[in-house]
Amino acid sequence: AQKITQTQPGMFVQEKEAVTLDCTYDTSDQSYGLFWYKQPSSGEMIFLIYQGSYDEQNATEGRYSLNFQKARKSANLVISASQLGDSAMYFCASEGYSSASKIIFGSGTRLSIRP
Amino acid sequence: NAGVTQTPKFQVLKTGQSMTLQCAQDMNHEYMSWYRQDPGMGLRLIHYSVGAGITDQGEVPNGYNVSRSTTEDFPLRLLSAAPSQTSVYFCASKTRGAGNTIYFGEGSWLTVV
């Protein structure tokens, strides 16, 4: 079975503070990937960051980093120095790399940045 | 670059009507999928395909059919629309394997009255 759990429906953060969005996953695949996507109010899905299950280093992309703890099955997104434009829905997703791989998303976290 | 193209962007259906949401990608991606997103919710997987001629059910497949006769196209058919199918539908595609970005269409807003 494949499942993504995001336990924070909504978060408020002060501008310029760092924020961590939680994501835990469950998969039977030995090899898999984890993604974070941002969805602003306009509705489009914007790719943020990717982590492969065999990557030894935590992924980073500018202000985004992924805190990957394989034993805990967690893949938290960290946004450093938050900006007003970071206000959006954030989705965690997993992809299994078996022959029948599929991509599953979590329920999302709505992040609101306060000025 | 066209990327992932979904049509129509907006549609209003009456209960019991059928319709097809079209999805096409020009990136030669093996993986294609359909998600629905209800207001304030996450994306739930309806159906997916890992290549032409191969389809499989996702998390919420009831009331929907798909086919994959070509690599490029992955239409989603609503057989008999119900108000519970009012949602935003996203088509997505990706090259199979590690890494690689998931590409999304712009979404199709469907209202069933």
Side-chain angles (χ1 to χ4, degrees):
Chain A
Q2 199 174 340
K3 187 177 180 181
I4 294 285
T5 302
Q6 294 181 253
T7 57
Q8 306 153 308
M11 290 185 69
F12 287 89
V13 171
Q14 202 68 29
E15 189 180 10
K16 299 181 184 177
E17 289 184 348
V19 57
T20 297
L21 305 182
D22 294 341
C23 172
T24 58
Y25 62 91
D26 191 14
T27 178
S28 56
D29 287 294
Q30 294 298 312
S31 178
Y32 52 89
L34 299 157
F35 301 81
W36 277 92
Y37 272 77
K38 172 184 178 181
Q39 187 181 44
S41 57
S42 52
E44 74 266 33
M45 297 291 287
I46 301 169
F47 169 75
L48 295 179
I49 198 165
Y50 166 85
Q51 177 85 42
S53 58
Y54 287 104
D55 293 339
E56 294 185 354
Q57 303 280 344
N58 283 344
T60 61
E61 292 281 354
R63 295 186 298 114
Y64 304 106
S65 61
L66 199 152
N67 184 0
F68 182 47
Q69 298 186 45
K70 196 170 182 178
R72 294 187 174 188
K73 294 190 174 183
S74 77
N76 298 340
L77 176 71
V78 180
I79 306 174
S80 63
S82 57
Q83 303 171 356
L84 295 179
D86 294 333
S87 294
M89 283 288 286
Y90 288 81
F91 295 103
C92 180
S94 72
E95 177 186 20
Y97 297 136
S98 65
S99 60
S101 60
K102 57 188 176 184
I103 301 171
I104 297 292
F105 282 79
S107 56
T109 296
R110 182 171 297 281
L111 177 63
S112 300
I113 308 298
R114 292 192 180 111
Chain B
N1 289 338
V4 179
T5 303
Q6 284 182 238
T7 56
K9 194 169 180 68
F10 299 97
Q11 183 73 48
V12 178
L13 280 179
K14 292 183 178 179
T15 298
Q17 286 185 320
S18 62
M19 76 158 298
T20 299
L21 296 174
Q22 301 291 345
C23 177
Q25 52 89 10
D26 61 357
M27 297 170 282
N28 204 32
H29 287 169
E30 302 95 335
Y31 180 91
M32 295 187 74
S33 55
W34 278 101
Y35 299 87
R36 61 174 288 173
Q37 184 178 27
D38 299 331
M41 305 290 285
L43 281 77
R44 292 185 291 170
L45 181 65
I46 303 171
H47 287 285
Y48 67 104
S49 169
V50 297
I54 305 169
T55 63
D56 208 344
Q57 296 182 350
E59 302 167 288
V60 287
N62 292 341
Y64 307 94
N65 271 358
V66 292
S67 60
R68 185 94 180 270
S69 56
T70 67
T71 299
E72 296 78 19
D73 300 299
F74 192 47
L76 178 72
R77 298 181 187 84
L78 281 71
L79 308 173
S80 177
S84 61
Q85 293 178 304
T86 294
S87 191
V88 180
Y89 291 83
F90 285 96
C91 181
S93 74
K94 182 182 177 294
T95 298
R96 289 191 70 192
N100 303 307
T101 306
I102 308 164
Y103 291 82
F104 284 88
E106 294 182 332
S108 296
W109 275 253
L110 177 66
T111 301
V112 183
V113 297

